[in-house]
Amino acid sequence: MEEGCSRIRRRVSVRKRNRPSLASTSAIPSAAQLQSRDEQEEKEEEMVARSRRRKTVGVQPVEHNDSEEDMFGDYDSFTENSFLAQVDDLEQKYLQLSEQRKHATDFATEDFCSESIKNKLGVTTVSNFTEYKSDEHTENQTEHEDVPIEPGTDVLYDLPSSQVLYFENLQNSSNDLGDQLTEKRDGSSSFPNTVNEELSHNCIKQQEQNDGSSSKVRSNSDTSRRKSIKDHLKSTMTGNAKAQTPIFSRSKQLKETVLSEEINVAKKTIESSSDDLGPFYSLPSKVRDLYVQFKGIEKLYEWQHTCLTLSSVQERKNLIYSLPTSGGKTLVAEILMLQELLCRRKDVLMILPYVAIVQEKISSLSSFAIELGFFVEEYAGSKGRFPPIKRREKKSLYIATIEKGHSLVNSLIETGRIDSLGLVVVDELHMIGEGSRGAILEMTLAKILYISKTTQVIGMSATLNNVEDLQQFLQAEYYTSQFRPVELKEYLKINDTIYEVDSKADSGMTFSRLLNYKYSDTLKKMDPDHLVALVTEVIPNYSCLVFCPSKKNCENVAEMICKFLSKEYLKQREKEKCELIKNLRNMSSGNMCPVLKRTIPFGVAYHHSGLTNDERRLLEEAYSTGTLCLFTCTSTLAAGVNLPARRVILRAPYVAKEFLKRNQYKQMIGRAGRAGIDTIGESILILQEKDKQQVLELISRPLENCYSCLVQEFTKGIQTLFLSLIGLKIATNLDDIYHFMNGTFFAVQQKTLLKEKSLWEITVESLGYLTEKGLLQKYTVLSEEELQYNFHITKLGRASFKGTIDLAYCDILYRDLKKGLEGLVLESLLHLIYLTTPYDLVSQCDPDWMIYFRQKVDKDIVNRLYLSFVLYTLLKETNIWSVSEKFNMSRGYIQNLLTGAASFSSCVLHFCEELEEFWVYRALLVELTKKLTYCVKVELIPLMEVTGVLEGRAKQLYDAGYKSLMHLANANPEVLIRTIDHLSRCQAKQIVSSAKMLLHEKAEALQEEVEELLRLPSDLPDVQ
């Protein structure tokens, strides 16, 4: 350590000689100054020589020791060889010179004071001045040739790591003052700032004192000052010695610097009108590398390149683009979202139709977020924070369902932060024409278009027809292409003949082939549609989807196919299938569907809404990895997660009892052909002779138009819209509301949808209904000799729109909650569960309680109470299978009931927050909402917060020792694969990435909360 300290002193001394101080460059030194410098340097050289003589061997490697005891050791007192002693000697010398030259000019004193401290501390305040070289500098450099100095080498190289930060901070603080010093250099008085500002200031102040002041007083002041400097330096060095040695990853720092530089370049490129799009469509080259690493995408399709380079996209105009399913639409949206997040530094909202797709998208983008420095936040079901956390540094990508996206936009408008939203991306834009969900999507987009002129809207879909109406509504450009990465061939099957769909043929189809499969009499009776023949042409080497009209038909078809498959199918991936069955049992507490138990060994399974979330996730993973090769499914899979196949078979041209629509048909057959795996995709629609004409019309007709549902869905549409417009103060009088309505999708199609009423009449009628219901108050204002009708939202109205309660039930909910206050039973959760059971699920329940009907009890109340018992039992047992058997309900229905109850409980909570009289419900419903959301043992909840981790997987992770979010965030994916059964490498990486993202998000929120608490209030009274 002794040698280490000596090394520090020598290094500082060398730096002093190489870089003259500011004082020496800004003024010609006087004779007295030169003489004092000679004496000073001779004394330093003598000290260095004594230090050398103490060494018996050459220079030893510096040992970095952070302990306070070793740091000072023998140097605790101010001896001649101590660094602090040198400071002490320097001050003594200064005082002596000050006494001798107290009538000298202020310049000499300032030069000496600043130069002395700077020379001893080795800190150069300004480095861009012309060096003043004297003979003394040259001579001193030659005297210290034994100290190795390389050009460009950092002077802090040999310092102990505990001291590096200290000296760097000194240098940084000095550099910050460089500009100020430069400005003052030409003035009549120059006061260079050094590390020891207190000493410099006092030196100057002392020279300005009256010459008649007492030297004794001055001496006492200097002595106390000198003592404080010693204490300060020793205290600082002690603290630095205790500091933990910082660990710097040079490669990581370099990568982050390169990424930051590329983002800055990309930002400038986007802001300019240049055609040069930079490394990767105005994004850093790292984004391109991440797509190769995470998704295996090395090159974009030609249409994607064309779309991204459109002038409308470069100018940030709204855009609608349409391509066939599997054409690669999502990648274009992702690149545009990354541009907004990284280069324009704005938040992004992505709206997806279903919870499962939201979770799938979050899992796939979490890895990008970790690498590129932004957050991915889930807004689905009961998840989501309103208003979202306001972040100062990193930006957020909100991935939301249609309903949650609307609530998120409302909260941003209410808090005045809607301009922070730079981009809104809507997948499956055609859903704007589908019932109440379409009405909510239309409201969301209409508000964004009306309020924020800086937010870009991008919509995409595979099934759009009346694009002109949507263009007019969104004020958007349109791009379309018929590109498919894999060729799709469409076939029709009638009896045992297969025809190829051919638009050029007169009949719309041409003969292709006859089925060549030997059928026994038994097989003909069991399989009249020749499904076994069609699927065995493809499986097990390729995958196949069979769409069935109903859920029950899915299960029957799966069992029927397995009965006639050869035993050779049992040997395909036998080990993986056994693992899948084992995991299905473990995730269901030992229970398993008997149909799946019989079909999975053959590589076959059914897929419909009757499955639990855990079962669905496991089966989808098994299908994606090739363990399962055949799914019998309902039409919901076509609009859900991406599960493509080599061949898609439509069991019948019906969905339930309704004839197939063109949009539904295109979505189903769009699953055929897997990019990068298959070279061709096939779809086969099985039909009977009686349906032949309808099917020929189906395959030749254009896609169905999508129409606004804003007025059709009265309580969930236009009334909810008007309530939120007034509640958010977007429009509060009749004229403004009418003006807003003119910018909706409904206004574009009003003449087609509602010819008998004008838009004005519809507006007045809806406002009148809301006023009568007690949700709005109407009052008149005389303005410019005209009567103007203004509206104000009531407390009940505000609670309804903040809780996103269906206005058909808001008064019933208020009445039930009010009555509940009279005798709220808190012995168990049953009473609260009843109050949060969704009203819209009541009609789907049919309990066999004849005794209550005989007593003429309200059927809706009975049904709701029955569902409450189901939920209460589920919360106690947390086992869907046992509850399903106990109440004789399908496990899929109970899963949907639980999801709906969690979402409605969250809505009721927001409803109660706006009404003071329901204060008691606020604390109670927070905990209930969490219980309904996860419905597991308390210890599993932290794990289930991670996107993609459901109950079964959470149990596996917990049993393996991963008991918290921190465990998962710091887990090694390779270890997870070996530890957790049936977990692929891709899934393991996604779980770790999602956990890291969630952990960083929570840490960032806490950090920003701390900074907010410590920040000085802007409205702090200024007390003079």
Side-chain angles (χ1 to χ4, degrees):
M1 192 60 220
E2 176 183 335
E3 294 172 359
C5 288
S6 176
R7 187 70 170 272
I8 294 173
R9 293 196 300 275
R10 292 170 59 196
R11 183 62 65 181
V12 170
S13 176
V14 169
R15 178 166 182 169
K16 175 201 69 176
R17 288 164 173 75
N18 282 336
R19 297 185 181 179
S21 67
L22 173 63
S24 66
T25 62
S26 60
I28 298 175
S30 64
Q33 285 177 303
L34 291 175
Q35 183 181 356
S36 65
R37 285 183 192 171
D38 292 341
E39 293 172 1
Q40 175 187 334
E41 290 168 359
E42 285 173 8
K43 187 172 182 178
E44 289 173 351
E45 289 162 11
E46 184 180 352
M47 285 192 292
V48 171
R50 278 204 295 265
S51 175
R52 286 184 196 154
R53 286 197 296 271
R54 279 213 279 292
K55 298 180 182 179
T56 57
V57 192
V59 176
Q60 301 295 322
V62 178
E63 295 182 4
H64 299 271
N65 195 322
D66 288 343
S67 75
E68 178 183 355
E69 182 179 356
D70 291 341
M71 176 66 199
F72 290 100
D74 297 333
Y75 297 87
D76 196 32
S77 63
F78 287 82
T79 61
E80 60 180 4
N81 293 309
S82 167
F83 172 74
L84 299 179
Q86 294 179 48
V87 178
D88 185 54
D89 293 340
L90 176 64
E91 290 184 325
Q92 291 287 354
K93 176 185 269 190
Y94 159 69
L95 291 174
Q96 293 170 7
L97 289 172
S98 179
E99 289 293 333
Q100 294 171 5
R101 297 185 293 114
K102 60 183 179 180
H103 297 295
T105 62
D106 289 344
F107 293 110
T109 304
E110 292 161 10
D111 288 347
F112 181 84
C113 180
S114 59
E115 180 190 349
S116 300
I117 300 303
K118 284 187 292 181
N119 286 347
K120 279 299 172 184
L121 294 180
V123 177
T124 304
T125 313
V126 179
S127 60
N128 59 347
F129 290 106
T130 306
E131 290 191 5
Y132 173 77
K133 293 185 178 180
S134 66
D135 296 336
E136 287 81 5
H137 293 157
T138 308
E139 180 182 348
N140 287 329
Q141 285 179 4
T142 59
E143 286 180 7
H144 290 278
E145 288 178 354
D146 63 316
V147 182
I149 301 175
E150 297 177 7
T153 303
D154 193 347
V155 75
L156 303 178
Y157 179 81
D158 283 336
L159 290 179
S161 56
S162 60
Q163 301 300 311
V164 170
L165 293 179
Y166 174 69
F167 283 103
E168 284 182 348
N169 289 336
L170 294 181
Q171 188 168 358
N172 290 336
S173 64
S174 300
N175 289 338
D176 292 339
L177 299 168
D179 294 338
Q180 299 175 14
L181 294 173
T182 304
E183 293 175 3
K184 294 180 180 180
R185 185 169 62 92
D186 297 329
S188 60
S189 62
S190 175
F191 300 101
N193 245 330
T194 64
V195 177
N196 203 330
E197 293 181 0
E198 182 183 2
L199 181 61
S200 299
H201 174 71
N202 289 332
C203 291
I204 297 164
K205 186 175 181 180
Q206 185 180 10
Q207 292 301 318
E208 292 175 349
Q209 289 176 350
N210 195 310
D211 293 341
S213 299
S214 170
S215 64
K216 181 178 180 181
V217 174
R218 191 163 56 240
S219 177
N220 291 339
S221 174
D222 292 334
T223 302
S224 61
R225 188 186 310 113
R226 185 167 66 255
K227 183 177 179 181
S228 67
I229 293 172
K230 295 174 187 176
D231 294 341
H232 174 69
L233 285 173
K234 185 170 180 179
S235 173
T236 303
M237 295 177 71
T238 302
N240 289 336
K242 286 181 178 179
Q244 185 177 354
T245 304
I247 300 173
F248 300 105
S249 172
R250 183 68 179 168
S251 59
K252 184 178 180 181
Q253 286 180 337
L254 185 60
K255 288 179 181 178
E256 289 177 353
T257 303
V258 171
L259 176 62
S260 177
E261 182 62 28
E262 286 191 350
I263 288 176
N264 290 333
V265 172
K267 185 177 180 180
K268 292 177 182 177
T269 303
I270 282 181
E271 291 172 352
S272 68
S273 57
S274 172
D275 294 332
D276 180 14
L277 295 182
F280 186 68
Y281 299 96
S282 300
L283 287 167
S285 56
K286 184 174 182 179
V287 177
R288 177 183 56 210
D289 299 338
L290 291 176
Y291 270 108
V292 175
Q293 179 183 345
F294 294 139
K295 298 192 175 184
I297 299 174
E298 297 182 358
K299 187 179 179 181
L300 271 65
Y301 297 130
E302 186 62 34
W303 82 264
Q304 291 171 331
H305 173 78
T306 303
C307 186
L308 286 169
T309 52
L310 288 173
S311 59
S312 55
V313 173
Q314 300 300 314
E315 295 167 8
R316 295 191 77 250
K317 293 181 180 179
N318 295 344
L319 176 70
I320 301 171
Y321 62 98
S322 176
L323 281 98
T325 304
S326 302
K329 298 184 296 295
T330 306
L331 179 59
V332 171
E334 287 180 6
I335 291 174
L336 293 174
M337 290 192 297
L338 290 175
Q339 286 180 0
E340 202 70 29
L341 288 163
L342 301 179
C343 303
R344 297 190 180 95
R345 307 295 296 163
K346 292 274 192 174
D347 295 328
V348 175
L349 169 62
M350 186 177 198
I351 299 177
L352 301 171
Y354 304 110
V355 175
I357 305 178
V358 168
Q359 293 176 342
E360 182 185 40
K361 183 57 64 180
I362 287 175
S363 296
S364 68
L365 289 178
S366 291
S367 300
F368 286 84
I370 293 291
E371 294 290 336
L372 298 172
F374 62 90
F375 289 109
V376 179
E377 300 185 37
E378 179 180 353
Y379 281 79
S382 60
K383 292 185 177 180
R385 181 167 177 169
F386 302 105
I389 298 172
K390 187 176 182 179
R391 306 188 189 280
R392 294 182 294 108
E393 297 296 333
K394 296 182 180 180
K395 298 303 174 183
S396 292
L397 168 58
Y398 309 113
I399 302 183
T401 56
I402 292 172
E403 295 79 7
K404 286 293 182 178
H406 182 226
S407 298
L408 178 64
V409 168
N410 281 344
S411 69
L412 290 174
I413 293 172
E414 186 175 27
T415 54
R417 291 165 50 193
I418 191 65
D419 287 335
S420 67
L421 199 63
L423 174 65
V424 176
V425 175
V426 181
D427 195 9
E428 309 297 350
L429 183 60
H430 62 271
M431 291 195 72
I432 199 170
E434 296 187 9
S436 61
R437 305 193 78 208
I440 294 171
L441 181 57
E442 180 180 346
M443 288 188 282
T444 305
L445 295 174
K447 288 175 185 175
I448 292 170
L449 292 168
Y450 186 82
I451 294 173
S452 178
K453 304 304 179 185
T454 60
T455 303
Q456 184 183 16
V457 177
I458 292 179
M460 51 183 172
S461 175
T463 54
L464 284 178
N465 188 33
N466 55 331
V467 182
E468 295 81 6
D469 290 348
L470 285 167
Q471 275 187 269
Q472 186 178 341
F473 166 50
L474 295 177
Q475 304 154 35
E477 302 289 325
Y478 179 60
Y479 176 83
T480 186
S481 172
Q482 295 305 312
F483 171 82
R484 270 188 64 92
V486 177
E487 183 186 1
L488 173 63
K489 292 189 175 181
E490 300 177 43
Y491 298 96
L492 304 176
K493 177 189 166 298
I494 306 174
N495 298 324
D496 59 351
T497 307
I498 295 179
Y499 301 89
E500 183 175 357
V501 174
D502 185 359
S503 58
K504 297 178 182 178
D506 294 336
S507 61
M509 58 182 186
T510 55
F511 175 80
S512 178
R513 62 188 174 96
L514 289 172
L515 272 179
N516 185 19
Y517 191 87
K518 295 181 180 179
Y519 266 66
S520 64
D521 292 338
T522 306
L523 183 54
K524 283 181 181 178
K525 291 180 181 179
M526 295 287 293
D527 183 23
D529 295 325
H530 306 93
L531 277 173
V532 175
L534 293 173
V535 300
T536 51
E537 290 178 348
V538 183
I539 64 169
N541 295 325
Y542 298 99
S543 56
C544 181
L545 296 175
V546 178
F547 285 100
C548 304
S550 66
K551 290 187 286 187
K552 190 62 180 173
N553 191 238
C554 287
E555 298 178 26
N556 293 339
V557 168
E559 283 203 282
M560 182 273 295
I561 290 174
C562 290
K563 285 180 180 177
F564 297 99
L565 291 178
S566 68
K567 292 184 178 181
E568 292 297 318
Y569 286 88
L570 296 172
K571 298 177 182 179
Q572 294 282 337
R573 296 192 175 228
E574 187 175 1
K575 183 180 178 182
E576 289 91 334
K577 292 172 187 173
C578 290
E579 285 292 324
L580 175 58
I581 293 173
K582 179 183 173 183
N583 278 293
L584 285 169
R585 285 186 183 278
N586 292 339
M587 289 187 173
S588 304
S589 302
N591 298 292
M592 186 173 179
C593 172
V595 176
L596 291 176
K597 184 179 178 180
R598 291 190 289 269
T599 61
I600 286 177
F602 288 92
V604 178
Y606 65 85
H607 185 288
H608 57 59
S609 60
L611 295 168
T612 66
N613 290 340
D614 279 319
E615 288 176 316
R616 189 180 299 117
R617 178 65 59 86
L618 269 180
L619 293 175
E620 288 171 357
E621 289 172 356
Y623 179 86
S624 298
T625 56
T627 303
L628 298 178
C629 55
L630 173 64
F631 263 166
T632 59
C633 50
T634 54
S635 58
T636 53
L637 185 140
V641 294
N642 187 25
L643 295 174
R646 171 66 174 267
R647 176 175 289 180
V648 170
I649 301 171
L650 280 67
R651 172 79 173 72
Y654 292 90
V655 173
K657 295 181 180 180
E658 294 185 5
F659 197 80
L660 202 62
K661 294 179 181 179
R662 174 71 172 170
N663 288 353
Q664 293 172 323
Y665 171 72
K666 292 293 285 185
Q667 277 193 325
M668 291 182 191
I669 67 171
R671 294 297 181 192
R674 298 177 297 175
I677 300 175
D678 298 327
T679 55
I680 193 171
E682 301 171 336
S683 72
I684 301 175
L685 172 59
I686 300 173
L687 63 143
Q688 309 299 323
E689 281 288 349
K690 62 183 180 68
D691 296 323
K692 181 178 178 180
Q693 191 57 42
Q694 275 185 288
V695 169
L696 290 176
E697 292 176 5
L698 170 72
I699 61 175
S700 59
R701 77 163 74 110
L703 296 166
E704 288 85 6
N705 291 337
C706 59
Y707 294 105
S708 170
C709 299
L710 196 60
V711 175
Q712 179 185 340
E713 296 291 331
F714 203 50
T715 58
K716 289 186 177 180
I718 193 169
Q719 289 184 8
T720 299
L721 173 62
F722 287 173
L723 197 63
S724 63
L725 288 179
I726 297 166
L728 295 170
K729 298 180 181 179
I730 298 172
T732 55
N733 60 63
L734 184 57
D735 291 337
D736 289 345
I737 294 170
Y738 176 69
H739 181 253
F740 181 94
M741 280 298 295
N742 276 295
T744 60
F745 187 41
F746 173 77
V748 175
Q749 301 177 327
Q750 190 261 328
K751 292 181 180 179
T752 305
L753 296 176
L754 208 62
K755 295 179 181 179
E756 62 273 13
K757 288 184 181 180
S758 68
L759 190 59
W760 177 266
E761 290 174 326
I762 295 168
T763 304
V764 172
E765 182 181 312
S766 300
L767 289 170
Y769 179 85
L770 291 171
T771 306
E772 290 175 10
K773 202 165 184 178
L775 301 174
L776 291 178
Q777 287 179 344
K778 178 182 175 183
Y779 58 95
T780 57
V781 177
L782 184 61
S783 175
E784 298 178 1
E785 299 180 358
E786 291 184 3
L787 280 177
Q788 191 176 55
Y789 294 100
N790 286 12
F791 294 89
H792 177 74
I793 193 168
T794 63
K795 288 185 177 180
L796 178 60
R798 179 171 295 279
S800 299
F801 108 78
K802 291 293 283 293
T804 62
I805 303 294
D806 187 343
L807 299 187
Y809 305 122
C810 66
D811 50 349
I812 302 173
L813 175 63
Y814 179 83
R815 188 171 62 247
D816 287 348
L817 292 172
K818 189 77 173 175
K819 192 171 184 179
L821 288 178
E822 297 174 6
L824 187 61
V825 180
L826 297 178
E827 184 182 6
S828 69
L829 292 173
L830 182 59
H831 196 168
L832 281 175
I833 291 172
Y834 173 79
L835 293 173
T836 56
T837 300
Y839 292 99
D840 53 356
L841 292 179
V842 169
S843 60
Q844 302 175 25
C845 176
D846 190 20
D848 188 15
W849 285 6
M850 294 305 299
I851 185 170
Y852 284 93
F853 291 137
R854 292 192 193 103
Q855 294 175 2
K856 297 182 179 180
V857 179
D858 190 331
K859 183 179 178 182
D860 288 343
I861 294 177
V862 172
N863 289 5
R864 196 174 184 216
L865 181 61
Y866 189 81
L867 292 179
S868 301
F869 284 141
V870 175
L871 288 169
Y872 179 63
T873 307
L874 188 57
L875 285 184
K876 285 199 302 183
E877 299 184 11
T878 67
N879 188 330
I880 289 180
W881 283 85
S882 62
V883 176
S884 172
E885 293 174 4
K886 185 176 291 185
F887 289 91
N888 194 26
M889 292 179 167
S890 74
R891 60 191 185 281
Y893 176 80
I894 292 177
Q895 179 82 70
N896 293 335
L897 171 64
L898 181 63
T899 304
S903 181
F904 187 65
S905 177
S906 176
C907 293
V908 175
L909 173 60
H910 293 302
F911 180 90
C912 293
E913 284 175 345
E914 299 299 320
L915 297 168
E916 188 65 31
E917 59 201 287
F918 294 146
W919 63 270
V920 70
Y921 288 119
R922 295 175 197 168
L924 296 172
L925 290 177
V926 169
E927 202 59 34
L928 178 63
T929 302
K930 184 179 285 189
K931 288 179 180 291
L932 289 170
T933 299
Y934 299 108
C935 192
V936 292
K937 294 179 180 178
V938 178
E939 60 265 23
L940 298 182
I941 290 179
L943 298 178
M944 291 187 66
E945 289 180 350
V946 178
T947 302
V949 176
L950 300 176
E951 183 181 2
R953 186 72 79 204
K955 286 179 179 177
Q956 286 182 310
L957 292 167
Y958 189 86
D959 293 340
Y962 299 95
K963 300 184 178 182
S964 69
L965 185 62
M966 288 76 79
H967 286 153
L968 277 185
N970 292 285
N972 185 338
E974 298 301 324
V975 176
L976 278 179
I977 296 168
R978 296 193 298 268
T979 309
I980 307 300
D981 293 336
H982 206 73
L983 183 68
S984 68
R985 180 170 282 98
C986 178
Q987 293 157 9
K989 288 181 178 179
Q990 286 180 348
I991 288 174
V992 173
S993 295
S994 297
K996 282 183 179 178
M997 173 57 52
L998 190 57
L999 191 63
H1000 287 178
E1001 183 182 325
K1002 289 187 175 184
E1004 184 89 2
L1006 289 173
Q1007 187 175 352
E1008 291 191 356
E1009 187 176 347
V1010 169
E1011 292 177 0
E1012 186 67 30
L1013 287 171
L1014 298 177
R1015 189 176 295 119
L1016 194 67
S1018 57
D1019 56 351
L1020 184 69
D1022 187 11
V1023 181
Q1024 296 295 336

